[in-house]
Amino acid sequence: MKPITTVPVKLDGGRGYDIRIGAGLVDSLPAAVREIAPGARALLVTDKNVADMHLAGVEMKFRRAGVDLRTAVIPPGERSKTLTQYVNLLKRLTEIDDARGVIAVAFGGGVAGDLAGFAAATYKRGIPFIQVPTTLLACVDSSVGGKTGIDLPAGKNLAGAFHQPRLVVMDLELLRTLPPRELRAGYAEVVKTALIFDKKFFEFLEAELGALLEAAPAAMARAVARCCELKARIVERDEFDKKGIRMVLNFGHTFGHAAEAALGYGRLRHGEAVAAGMLCAADLSARRGLISEAVVERIHEHIAAAGMPVQFKGCSADAIYSRMKLDKKFSSGKMRVVLLERIGKAVVADDATPAEIKAAIKGRVAV
């Protein structure tokens, strides 16, 4: 039997759940649905790219298990996190719902998880759902923590709810089907987790980079499990993101999000923007005397070796900074940013000045 790692997320009020990590776990999905919602119909939400590759096999597993599965296939990408797609999912739930009840299964990347989770949070004031992330980014980030939502014309994730899954199933064999660029983009979040929480984990990433970029099962299982353990502990302490504890998870994101907007969404993968953004944050940390230039170079070398961007190309430092000023963390001419005190320890700086931020960005821009 293939090894399975279980990471519990311990929450009050019966909202806790397990994260199961291993190879071939999609085979266990029908039984999980039956256990969580006996007799209920399941609505599996996925995007067309994932459906083309995996849906037929998943449907066969449910048929053989005698579990009633229906599907909703959405267009791939952020464009599906809309009111229209959300309403379509609610309509689909009403179509298949009956006295036996219904359970949602998010089978895909972060978009499928956010959209299906939000529909599950709001249909009949909440129905159970299962997360089955198919990308590395979704495994180590969006599938854990209960944040669900959609985009509005005014901005990303402006409509949403906290709704914890009943179970997260991470089948590592699915990651082996990802295009290399998609895997690397997800790997940026793995690196981020190590840098802000765990020096020994970062050393493991340095030693096992080749295996991780090939999605080798043993190395990937260890990396994903450690990310989930660390994320789970944060969620347990600050489930509803009210205490500011989750702030450190934004390491590299303030710079990265601004660059994504300045370049135009779609030019960079989210993880690619975060990779270069982490180097901006590392540079700023060094400028403030928190870490040495040698530490910055060590981080740079690992990100470069993983094939991720170490610079932003095609936009100016001023354009990135202008976008940063729109961030909610910018106030009274200063920006709250997450910096490194050392590898494995992040701190939040409340007093980063425009000159400091611009200098950090300029060092990572190649026009």
Side-chain angles (χ1 to χ4, degrees):
M1 184 176 179
K2 296 177 181 178
I4 299 173
T5 300
T6 300
V7 177
V9 182
K10 301 172 184 177
L11 300 172
D12 295 333
R15 293 188 306 279
Y17 52 94
D18 285 340
I19 305 165
R20 297 177 187 166
I21 304 161
L25 291 186
V26 169
D27 292 345
S28 68
L29 199 51
V33 167
R34 184 183 285 118
E35 179 183 351
I36 292 168
R41 284 177 173 164
L43 178 65
L44 185 142
V45 181
T46 191
D47 72 51
K48 186 178 184 305
N49 291 344
V50 176
D52 289 345
M53 188 171 295
H54 300 295
L55 184 55
V58 173
E59 289 178 323
M60 182 180 296
K61 297 179 195 302
F62 274 80
R63 281 197 301 272
R64 288 176 174 172
V67 177
D68 192 349
L69 178 72
R70 311 299 173 92
T71 60
V73 179
I74 61 176
E78 192 78 15
R79 58 182 172 155
S80 283
K81 282 179 59 173
T82 63
L83 278 170
T84 299
Q85 292 294 341
Y86 165 66
V87 171
N88 288 343
L89 279 190
L90 293 181
K91 289 178 179 177
R92 187 77 176 108
L93 286 167
T94 62
E95 290 169 357
I96 70 171
D97 197 4
D98 61 15
R100 297 174 296 171
V102 63
I103 180 173
V105 179
F107 193 96
V111 170
D114 286 354
L115 183 62
F118 189 40
T122 51
Y123 181 68
K124 289 186 171 179
R125 299 188 178 90
I127 60 171
F129 87 111
I130 297 173
Q131 286 270 24
V132 189
T134 62
T135 67
L136 181 55
L137 180 60
C139 283
V140 301
D141 186 23
S142 60
S143 68
V144 179
K147 287 186 176 181
T148 72
I150 59 172
D151 302 335
L152 298 179
K156 295 180 64 173
N157 298 318
L158 291 182
F162 284 93
H163 189 56
Q164 300 294 345
R166 295 288 297 276
L167 175 69
V168 182
V169 177
M170 298 183 180
D171 188 333
L172 300 181
E173 290 182 358
L174 299 175
L175 302 186
R176 297 178 70 85
T177 67
L178 291 174
R181 185 181 179 188
E182 194 71 39
L183 186 70
R184 289 195 299 270
Y187 183 68
E189 291 285 345
V190 178
V191 174
K192 178 205 78 174
T193 302
L195 287 174
I196 63 176
F197 288 131
D198 190 340
K199 181 181 179 181
K200 288 186 178 179
F201 183 31
F202 185 70
E203 292 169 352
F204 166 79
L205 299 182
E206 290 178 310
E208 298 293 335
L209 178 60
L212 289 165
L213 293 181
E214 294 177 357
M220 188 59 76
R222 182 172 170 183
V224 169
R226 186 59 181 147
C227 285
C228 290
E229 288 168 356
L230 293 166
K231 178 74 178 287
R233 302 298 84 82
I234 292 291
V235 172
E236 289 167 356
R237 294 168 59 199
D238 191 12
E239 179 182 359
F240 300 109
D241 205 4
K242 298 292 187 183
K243 302 175 183 177
I245 296 172
R246 287 192 182 195
M247 177 68 184
V248 293
L249 298 174
N250 288 321
F251 179 67
H253 286 63
T254 304
F255 293 98
H257 286 164
E260 283 184 274
L263 284 164
Y265 289 107
R267 292 274 300 278
L268 282 178
R269 297 283 197 278
H270 172 69
E272 292 170 339
V274 168
M278 287 190 291
L279 288 170
C280 289
D283 287 339
L284 182 53
S285 302
R287 290 174 186 275
R288 291 191 140 215
L290 295 173
I291 59 175
S292 68
E293 290 293 343
V295 171
V296 176
E297 183 60 26
R298 180 180 177 184
I299 297 168
H300 175 113
E301 288 180 357
H302 187 71
I303 288 175
M308 295 183 290
V310 296
Q311 290 180 310
F312 297 116
K313 297 180 179 180
C315 66
S316 68
D318 287 340
I320 294 174
Y321 180 70
S322 294
R323 292 288 183 165
M324 287 182 74
K325 288 168 65 177
L326 301 176
D327 192 288
K328 63 184 179 181
K329 294 182 288 297
F330 185 88
S331 177
S332 301
K334 295 185 179 180
M335 172 73 69
R336 295 182 75 205
V337 290
V338 182
L339 304 177
L340 285 184
E341 189 173 274
R342 60 179 183 272
I343 291 178
K345 176 68 180 300
V347 293
V348 178
D350 294 315
D351 57 350
T353 66
E356 289 177 311
I357 293 172
K358 287 179 182 178
I361 298 171
K362 284 179 180 178
R364 295 293 169 181
V365 167
V367 180

